[in-house]
Amino acid sequence: MDENRLKKIVTKILDSRFKGFTIREFRVLPTQKLDEKGKWVPDSYTLFIGLNRPANFYLEKYAEWEVSSFLENFLGIEIVSDFF
């Protein structure tokens, strides 16, 4: 997975849907699962992202979980997020 391309996509999503959030940390790691023989095989990816909240965050009508949930649904990968 191209981490730079994914970061650009996430930045565009944040800019258009969740104004004011900025990326502080960004890391994509591959995940694995056990196959039917009990061996670990590549599965998908997990995005670990740290976001800075906008100054007016508590005045907005969305919550932190909405940001993570929207990204997860849009990208189709697991999102682990932290907000600063």
Side-chain angles (χ1 to χ4, degrees), residues 46-64:
T46 298
L47 169 59
F48 294 88
I49 187 168
L51 296 170
N52 290 322
R53 291 181 191 101
N56 63 345
F57 172 74
Y58 294 105
L59 300 176
E60 298 293 330
K61 56 186 172 189
Y62 46 78
E64 293 170 345

Side-chain angles (χ1 to χ4, degrees), residues 34-78:
L34 285 172
D35 66 4
E36 57 278 350
K37 297 177 185 175
K39 294 186 180 185
W40 290 104
V41 295
D43 181 37
S44 184
Y45 294 91
T46 298
L47 169 59
F48 294 88
I49 187 168
L51 296 170
N52 290 322
R53 291 181 191 101
N56 63 345
F57 172 74
Y58 294 105
L59 300 176
E60 298 293 330
K61 56 186 172 189
Y62 46 78
E64 293 170 345
W65 65 267
E66 290 179 84
V67 177
S68 300
S69 177
F70 184 83
L71 289 173
E72 229 171 54
N73 290 329
F74 188 85
L75 299 173
I77 61 174
E78 181 182 7

